[in-house]
Coordinates of all heavy atoms in Angstrom, one line a residue:
M1 N 96.3 98.9 96.5 CA 95.1 98.3 96.9 C 95.0 96.9 96.4 O 95.3 96.6 95.3 CB 93.9 99.1 96.4 CG 92.6 98.9 97.0 SD 91.4 100.3 96.6 CE 90.0 99.6 97.4
S2 N 94.5 96.0 97.2 CA 94.4 94.6 96.9 C 93.2 94.4 95.9 O 92.3 95.2 95.8 CB 94.3 93.7 98.1 OG 93.1 94.1 98.8
E3 N 93.3 93.3 95.2 CA 92.2 93.0 94.3 C 91.0 92.3 95.1 O 91.2 91.6 96.0 CB 92.7 91.9 93.3 CG 93.8 92.4 92.4 CD 93.2 92.8 91.0 OE1 92.9 91.9 90.3 OE2 93.1 94.0 90.7
P4 N 89.8 92.6 94.6 CA 88.7 91.9 95.2 C 88.7 90.4 94.8 O 89.3 90.1 93.8 CB 87.5 92.6 94.6 CG 88.0 93.2 93.4 CD 89.4 93.5 93.6
E5 N 88.0 89.6 95.6 CA 87.9 88.2 95.2 C 86.9 88.0 94.2 O 85.9 88.9 94.0 CB 87.5 87.4 96.5 CG 88.5 87.3 97.5 CD 88.1 86.4 98.7 OE1 87.3 85.5 98.5 OE2 88.7 86.6 99.8
I6 N 87.0 87.0 93.4 CA 86.1 86.7 92.3 C 85.0 85.8 92.9 O 85.3 84.7 93.3 CB 86.8 86.0 91.1 CG1 87.8 86.8 90.5 CG2 85.7 85.5 90.1 CD1 88.7 86.1 89.5
A7 N 83.8 86.4 93.0 CA 82.7 85.6 93.6 C 82.1 84.6 92.6 O 81.8 83.5 93.0 CB 81.6 86.5 94.1
A8 N 82.1 85.0 91.3 CA 81.6 84.1 90.3 C 81.9 84.7 88.9 O 82.1 85.9 88.9 CB 80.0 84.0 90.4
K9 N 82.1 83.9 87.9 CA 82.4 84.4 86.6 C 81.2 84.5 85.7 O 81.3 84.3 84.5 CB 83.5 83.5 86.0 CG 84.8 83.6 86.7 CD 85.9 82.7 86.1 CE 87.2 82.9 86.8 NZ 88.3 82.0 86.3
V10 N 80.1 84.7 86.3 CA 78.8 85.0 85.6 C 78.1 86.2 86.4 O 78.2 86.3 87.6 CB 77.9 83.8 85.5 CG1 78.5 82.7 84.6 CG2 77.6 83.2 86.9
P11 N 77.4 87.0 85.7 CA 76.6 88.1 86.4 C 75.4 87.5 87.1 O 74.9 86.4 86.7 CB 76.2 89.0 85.3 CG 76.2 88.2 84.0 CD 77.2 87.1 84.2
A12 N 74.9 88.2 88.1 CA 73.7 87.9 88.7 C 72.6 88.6 88.0 O 72.6 89.9 88.0 CB 73.7 88.2 90.2
V13 N 71.7 88.0 87.3 CA 70.6 88.6 86.6 C 69.4 88.6 87.5 O 68.9 87.5 87.9 CB 70.3 87.9 85.2 CG1 69.2 88.6 84.5 CG2 71.6 87.9 84.4
L14 N 68.9 89.8 87.9 CA 67.9 89.8 88.9 C 66.9 90.9 88.5 O 67.2 91.9 87.9 CB 68.5 90.3 90.2 CG 69.5 89.4 90.8 CD1 70.1 90.1 92.0 CD2 69.0 88.1 91.3
E15 N 65.6 90.6 88.8 CA 64.5 91.6 88.7 C 64.4 92.3 90.0 O 64.0 91.7 91.0 CB 63.2 91.0 88.2 CG 62.2 91.9 87.9 CD 60.9 91.3 87.4 OE1 60.2 90.7 88.2 OE2 60.6 91.4 86.2
L16 N 64.7 93.6 90.0 CA 64.7 94.4 91.2 C 63.6 95.3 91.3 O 63.2 96.0 90.4 CB 66.0 95.2 91.4 CG 67.3 94.3 91.4 CD1 68.5 95.3 91.5 CD2 67.3 93.4 92.6
E17 N 63.0 95.4 92.5 CA 61.9 96.3 92.9 C 62.6 97.6 93.2 O 63.8 97.7 93.5 CB 61.1 95.8 94.1 CG 60.4 94.5 93.9 CD 59.2 94.6 92.9 OE1 58.7 95.7 92.8 OE2 58.8 93.6 92.4
P18 N 61.9 98.8 93.1 CA 62.4 100.1 93.5 C 63.0 100.0 94.9 O 62.3 99.4 95.8 CB 61.3 101.0 93.3 CG 60.4 100.4 92.3 CD 60.5 98.9 92.6
G19 N 64.1 100.6 95.1 CA 64.7 100.6 96.5 C 66.2 100.9 96.4 O 66.7 101.1 95.4
T20 N 66.8 100.8 97.6 CA 68.2 101.0 97.7 C 68.9 99.6 98.1 O 68.4 98.9 99.0 CB 68.5 102.0 98.8 OG1 67.9 103.2 98.4 CG2 70.1 102.2 98.9
Y21 N 69.9 99.3 97.4 CA 70.6 98.0 97.5 C 72.1 98.3 97.8 O 72.6 99.4 97.4 CB 70.5 97.2 96.3 CG 69.0 96.8 96.0 CD1 68.2 97.7 95.2 CD2 68.5 95.7 96.4 CE1 66.9 97.4 94.9 CE2 67.2 95.3 96.1 CZ 66.4 96.2 95.4 OH 65.1 95.9 95.1
W22 N 72.8 97.4 98.3 CA 74.2 97.5 98.6 C 75.0 96.3 97.9 O 74.9 95.2 98.4 CB 74.5 97.5 100.1 CG 74.0 98.8 100.7 CD1 72.7 98.9 101.3 CD2 74.5 100.1 100.7 NE1 72.6 100.2 101.7 CE2 73.6 101.0 101.4 CE3 75.7 100.6 100.3 CZ2 73.9 102.3 101.5 CZ3 76.1 102.0 100.4 CH2 75.1 102.8 101.1
W23 N 75.7 96.7 96.8 CA 76.4 95.7 96.0 C 77.8 95.4 96.6 O 78.5 96.3 97.0 CB 76.6 96.3 94.6 CG 77.3 95.4 93.7 CD1 76.9 94.3 93.1 CD2 78.6 95.7 93.2 NE1 77.9 93.8 92.2 CE2 79.0 94.7 92.2 CE3 79.6 96.7 93.3 CZ2 80.2 94.6 91.6 CZ3 80.8 96.7 92.7 CH2 81.1 95.6 91.8
C24 N 78.1 94.2 96.8 CA 79.4 93.8 97.3 C 80.5 94.0 96.4 O 80.4 93.6 95.2 CB 79.3 92.3 97.6 SG 80.9 91.5 98.0
Q25 N 81.5 94.8 96.8 CA 82.6 95.1 96.0 C 83.9 94.2 96.3 O 84.8 94.1 95.5 CB 83.1 96.6 96.1 CG 82.1 97.6 95.6 CD 82.7 98.9 95.3 OE1 83.3 99.1 94.3 NE2 82.6 99.8 96.3
C26 N 83.8 93.6 97.5 CA 85.0 92.8 97.9 C 85.0 91.4 97.4 O 86.1 90.8 97.4 CB 85.1 92.8 99.5 SG 83.9 91.8 100.3
G27 N 83.8 90.9 97.0 CA 83.8 89.5 96.5 C 83.6 88.5 97.6 O 83.5 87.3 97.3
R28 N 83.6 88.9 98.9 CA 83.6 87.9 100.0 C 82.2 87.6 100.5 O 82.1 86.6 101.3 CB 84.4 88.4 101.2 CG 85.9 88.5 100.9 CD 86.6 88.9 102.2 NE 87.9 89.4 102.0 CZ 88.6 90.1 102.9 NH1 88.0 90.5 104.1 NH2 89.8 90.5 102.7
S29 N 81.3 88.4 100.2 CA 79.9 88.1 100.7 C 79.4 86.7 100.4 O 79.6 86.2 99.3 CB 79.0 89.2 100.1 OG 77.6 88.9 100.5
G30 N 78.7 86.1 101.3 CA 78.1 84.9 101.1 C 76.6 85.0 100.6 O 76.0 84.1 100.4
N31 N 76.3 86.2 100.3 CA 74.9 86.6 99.8 C 75.1 87.4 98.5 O 74.5 88.4 98.4 CB 74.1 87.4 100.9 CG 72.7 87.6 100.4 OD1 72.1 86.8 99.8 ND2 72.2 88.8 100.8
Q32 N 75.9 86.9 97.6 CA 76.2 87.7 96.3 C 74.9 87.9 95.5 O 74.0 87.0 95.6 CB 77.2 86.9 95.4 CG 78.6 86.8 96.0 CD 79.2 88.2 96.0 OE1 78.9 89.1 95.2 NE2 80.1 88.4 97.0
P33 N 74.8 89.1 94.9 CA 75.8 90.1 94.7 C 75.7 91.1 95.8 O 76.4 92.2 95.7 CB 75.4 90.7 93.3 CG 73.9 90.6 93.3 CD 73.6 89.3 94.0
W34 N 75.0 90.9 96.9 CA 74.8 91.9 97.9 C 75.9 91.8 99.1 O 76.3 90.7 99.4 CB 73.4 91.8 98.5 CG 72.4 91.7 97.5 CD1 71.4 90.7 97.3 CD2 72.1 92.7 96.4 NE1 70.6 91.0 96.2 CE2 71.0 92.2 95.7 CE3 72.7 93.9 96.1 CZ2 70.5 92.9 94.5 CZ3 72.2 94.5 95.0 CH2 71.1 94.0 94.2
C35 N 76.1 92.9 99.7 CA 77.0 92.9 100.8 C 76.4 92.2 102.1 O 75.2 92.4 102.3 CB 77.3 94.4 101.2 SG 78.2 94.7 102.7
D36 N 77.2 91.4 102.7 CA 76.7 90.8 104.0 C 77.6 91.2 105.2 O 77.5 90.6 106.2 CB 76.6 89.3 103.8 CG 78.0 88.6 103.8 OD1 79.0 89.3 103.7 OD2 78.0 87.4 103.8
G37 N 78.5 92.2 104.9 CA 79.3 92.7 106.0 C 80.7 91.9 106.1 O 81.5 92.3 106.9
S38 N 80.9 91.0 105.2 CA 82.2 90.2 105.2 C 83.4 91.1 104.8 O 84.5 90.7 105.0 CB 82.1 89.1 104.2 OG 81.1 88.2 104.6
H39 N 83.1 92.3 104.3 CA 84.3 93.2 103.9 C 85.0 93.8 105.1 O 86.0 94.3 104.9 CB 83.7 94.3 103.0 CG 82.7 95.2 103.7 ND1 81.4 94.9 103.7 CD2 82.9 96.3 104.4 CE1 80.8 95.9 104.4 NE2 81.7 96.7 104.9
K40 N 84.4 93.7 106.3 CA 84.9 94.4 107.4 C 86.4 94.0 107.7 O 86.7 92.9 107.7 CB 84.0 94.2 108.6 CG 82.7 95.0 108.5 CD 81.7 94.8 109.7 CE 80.5 95.5 109.4 NZ 79.3 94.8 109.9
G41 N 87.2 95.0 107.9 CA 88.6 94.8 108.2 C 89.4 94.8 106.9 O 90.6 94.7 106.9
G42 N 88.8 94.9 105.7 CA 89.5 94.8 104.4 C 89.5 96.2 103.8 O 89.1 97.2 104.4
A43 N 90.0 96.2 102.5 CA 90.1 97.5 101.8 C 88.8 98.0 101.1 O 88.8 99.0 100.5 CB 91.2 97.3 100.8
F44 N 87.8 97.1 101.1 CA 86.6 97.4 100.3 C 85.4 97.8 101.2 O 85.3 97.3 102.3 CB 86.3 96.3 99.4 CG 87.4 96.0 98.4 CD1 88.4 95.0 98.7 CD2 87.4 96.6 97.2 CE1 89.4 94.8 97.8 CE2 88.4 96.4 96.3 CZ 89.4 95.5 96.6
S45 N 84.5 98.5 100.5 CA 83.2 98.8 101.1 C 82.1 98.6 100.1 O 82.4 98.6 98.9 CB 83.2 100.2 101.7 OG 83.5 101.1 100.7
P46 N 80.9 98.4 100.5 CA 79.8 98.2 99.5 C 79.5 99.4 98.7 O 79.7 100.5 99.1 CB 78.7 97.7 100.3 CG 78.9 98.3 101.6 CD 80.4 98.3 101.8
A47 N 78.9 99.2 97.5 CA 78.5 100.4 96.7 C 77.0 100.4 96.7 O 76.3 99.4 96.5 CB 79.0 100.2 95.2
E48 N 76.4 101.6 96.9 CA 75.0 101.8 96.8 C 74.4 101.8 95.5 O 75.0 102.3 94.5 CB 74.7 103.2 97.5 CG 73.2 103.4 97.7 CD 73.0 104.7 98.4 OE1 73.9 105.4 98.9 OE2 71.8 105.0 98.6
L49 N 73.3 101.1 95.3 CA 72.6 101.0 94.0 C 71.2 101.4 94.3 O 70.5 100.8 95.1 CB 72.7 99.6 93.5 CG 71.7 99.2 92.3 CD1 72.1 100.1 91.1 CD2 71.8 97.7 92.0
T50 N 70.7 102.4 93.6 CA 69.3 102.9 93.8 C 68.6 102.5 92.5 O 68.9 102.9 91.4 CB 69.2 104.4 94.1 OG1 70.0 104.7 95.2 CG2 67.8 104.9 94.2
I51 N 67.4 101.8 92.7 CA 66.6 101.5 91.6 C 65.3 102.2 91.8 O 64.6 102.2 92.8 CB 66.2 99.9 91.7 CG1 67.6 99.1 91.5 CG2 65.3 99.5 90.6 CD1 68.2 99.2 90.2
S52 N 64.9 103.0 90.7 CA 63.7 103.9 90.8 C 62.5 103.2 90.2 O 61.4 103.5 90.6 CB 63.9 105.2 90.2 OG 64.5 105.1 88.9
E53 N 62.7 102.3 89.2 CA 61.6 101.6 88.6 C 62.0 100.1 88.6 O 63.1 99.8 88.3 CB 61.3 102.1 87.2 CG 60.9 103.5 87.1 CD 60.6 103.9 85.7 OE1 61.0 103.2 84.7 OE2 60.1 105.1 85.5
K54 N 61.0 99.3 88.7 CA 61.2 97.8 88.6 C 61.9 97.5 87.3 O 61.4 97.9 86.2 CB 59.9 97.1 88.7 CG 60.0 95.6 88.8 CD 58.7 95.0 89.0 CE 58.8 93.5 89.0 NZ 57.5 92.8 89.3
R55 N 63.0 96.8 87.4 CA 63.8 96.5 86.2 C 64.7 95.3 86.4 O 65.0 94.9 87.5 CB 64.5 97.6 85.6 CG 65.7 98.1 86.4 CD 66.3 99.4 85.7 NE 67.4 99.9 86.5 CZ 68.6 100.0 86.0 NH1 68.9 99.6 84.8 NH2 69.6 100.6 86.8
T56 N 65.1 94.7 85.3 CA 66.0 93.5 85.3 C 67.4 94.1 85.1 O 67.7 94.8 84.2 CB 65.6 92.5 84.3 OG1 64.3 92.0 84.5 CG2 66.6 91.3 84.3
V57 N 68.3 93.6 85.9 CA 69.7 94.1 85.9 C 70.7 92.9 85.9 O 70.3 91.8 86.4 CB 70.1 95.0 87.1 CG1 69.3 96.3 87.0 CG2 69.9 94.3 88.4
A58 N 71.8 93.1 85.3 CA 72.9 92.1 85.3 C 74.0 92.6 86.2 O 74.7 93.6 85.7 CB 73.4 91.7 83.9
L59 N 74.2 92.1 87.4 CA 75.1 92.7 88.4 C 76.4 91.8 88.4 O 76.4 90.6 88.4 CB 74.5 92.7 89.7 CG 73.3 93.6 89.9 CD1 72.6 93.4 91.2 CD2 73.6 95.0 89.6
C60 N 77.5 92.5 88.3 CA 78.8 91.9 88.3 C 79.0 91.1 89.6 O 78.8 91.6 90.7 CB 79.9 93.0 88.2 SG 81.6 92.4 88.4
Q61 N 79.6 89.9 89.3 CA 80.0 89.1 90.5 C 81.5 88.7 90.4 O 82.0 88.2 91.4 CB 79.2 87.8 90.5 CG 77.7 88.0 90.7 CD 77.0 86.8 91.1 OE1 76.6 86.6 92.3 NE2 76.7 85.9 90.2
C62 N 82.2 89.0 89.3 CA 83.6 88.8 89.2 C 84.4 89.9 89.9 O 85.5 89.8 90.2 CB 84.1 88.6 87.8 SG 84.2 90.0 86.7
K63 N 83.7 91.1 90.1 CA 84.2 92.3 90.7 C 85.3 92.9 89.9 O 86.2 93.6 90.5 CB 84.7 92.0 92.2 CG 83.7 91.2 93.0 CD 82.3 91.8 93.1 CE 81.4 90.9 93.9 NZ 80.0 91.4 93.9
R64 N 85.3 92.7 88.6 CA 86.3 93.3 87.7 C 85.7 94.3 86.8 O 86.4 94.8 85.9 CB 87.1 92.3 87.0 CG 87.9 91.2 87.9 CD 88.9 91.9 88.7 NE 89.8 91.0 89.4 CZ 89.4 90.4 90.6 NH1 88.3 90.6 91.2 NH2 90.3 89.6 91.2
T65 N 84.4 94.5 86.8 CA 83.7 95.4 85.9 C 84.2 96.9 86.0 O 84.6 97.3 87.1 CB 82.2 95.4 86.1 OG1 81.6 96.2 85.1 CG2 81.8 95.8 87.5
A66 N 84.2 97.6 84.9 CA 84.5 99.0 84.9 C 83.2 99.8 85.0 O 83.2 101.0 85.0 CB 85.2 99.4 83.6
K67 N 82.1 99.1 85.0 CA 80.7 99.8 85.1 C 80.0 99.4 86.3 O 78.8 99.1 86.3 CB 79.9 99.5 83.8 CG 80.5 100.0 82.6 CD 79.6 99.7 81.4 CE 80.2 100.2 80.1 NZ 79.4 99.9 78.9
A68 N 80.7 99.2 87.4 CA 80.1 98.8 88.7 C 78.8 99.6 89.0 O 78.7 100.8 88.8 CB 81.1 98.9 89.8
P69 N 77.8 98.8 89.5 CA 77.8 97.4 89.8 C 77.3 96.5 88.7 O 77.1 95.3 88.9 CB 76.7 97.3 91.0 CG 75.7 98.4 90.5 CD 76.5 99.5 89.9
F70 N 77.2 97.0 87.5 CA 76.7 96.3 86.4 C 77.8 95.5 85.6 O 78.9 96.0 85.5 CB 76.0 97.2 85.4 CG 74.9 98.0 86.1 CD1 75.1 99.3 86.4 CD2 73.7 97.4 86.5 CE1 74.1 100.1 87.0 CE2 72.7 98.1 87.1 CZ 72.9 99.5 87.4
C71 N 77.4 94.4 85.1 CA 78.3 93.6 84.3 C 78.7 94.2 83.1 O 77.9 94.8 82.4 CB 77.6 92.2 84.0 SG 78.6 91.1 82.9
D72 N 80.0 94.2 82.8 CA 80.5 94.8 81.5 C 81.2 93.7 80.6 O 81.9 94.1 79.7 CB 81.4 96.0 81.7 CG 82.8 95.6 82.3 OD1 83.0 94.4 82.7 OD2 83.7 96.5 82.4
G73 N 81.1 92.5 81.0 CA 81.7 91.4 80.3 C 83.1 91.0 80.7 O 83.7 90.1 80.1
S74 N 83.6 91.8 81.7 CA 85.0 91.5 82.1 C 85.2 90.0 82.6 O 86.4 89.6 82.5 CB 85.4 92.4 83.3 OG 85.5 93.8 82.8
H75 N 84.2 89.4 83.0 CA 84.4 88.0 83.5 C 84.8 87.1 82.4 O 85.5 86.0 82.7 CB 83.1 87.4 84.1 CG 81.9 87.4 83.2 ND1 81.1 88.5 83.0 CD2 81.5 86.4 82.4 CE1 80.2 88.2 82.1 NE2 80.4 87.0 81.7
K76 N 84.6 87.4 81.2 CA 85.0 86.6 80.1 C 86.5 86.5 79.9 O 87.0 85.7 79.2 CB 84.4 87.0 78.8 CG 82.8 86.9 78.8 CD 82.2 87.5 77.5 CE 80.7 87.5 77.7 NZ 80.1 88.4 76.7
T77 N 87.2 87.5 80.5 CA 88.7 87.5 80.3 C 89.4 86.9 81.5 O 90.6 86.9 81.5 CB 89.1 89.0 80.2 OG1 88.9 89.7 81.4 CG2 88.4 89.7 79.1
L78 N 88.7 86.4 82.5 CA 89.3 85.8 83.7 C 89.6 84.4 83.5 O 89.0 83.7 82.8 CB 88.4 86.1 84.9 CG 88.1 87.5 85.2 CD1 87.1 87.6 86.3 CD2 89.4 88.2 85.6
Ligands
LIG1 FE1 81.7 92.5 100.1 FE2 80.5 94.0 102.0 S1 80.7 91.9 101.9 S2 81.5 94.7 100.2

């Protein structure tokens, strides 16, 4: 399987309202950290993220995290 593209080497820190979100796993989206459909034709698909209570999250944009979709600090090694 090919590697995802690195969208950014910093997480996206966002305050999210309750709801369902689709996190980009391929790194190609122009609307990071969210899927915009740019993965089509490739090896990746978006990951569903459900938020039940309003909270602040740090979402991975380097696409190398082991705790997807959350940042685990992996961008510091790139
Ligand atoms: Fe990256 Fe959809 S655009 S997973």
Side-chain angles (χ1 to χ4, degrees):
M1 195 165 175
S2 60
E3 293 260 288
E5 290 185 25
I6 298 169
K9 292 183 181 177
V10 292
V13 179
L14 302 170
E15 186 174 74
L16 297 180
E17 298 290 338
T20 300
Y21 299 85
W22 294 95
W23 177 73
C24 169
Q25 292 200 86
C26 74
R28 290 189 199 160
S29 172
N31 185 35
Q32 292 294 331
W34 310 123
C35 174
D36 71 354
S38 297
H39 63 271
K40 286 179 185 148
F44 297 93
S45 56
E48 185 173 358
L49 169 63
T50 300
I51 299 291
S52 53
E53 293 181 354
K54 183 175 181 175
R55 67 183 177 119
T56 299
V57 294
L59 297 173
C60 174
Q61 298 196 103
C62 74
K63 314 304 177 182
R64 299 299 188 277
T65 182
K67 294 182 178 177
F70 304 104
C71 174
D72 72 351
S74 292
H75 60 273
K76 293 176 189 162
T77 66
L78 299 173

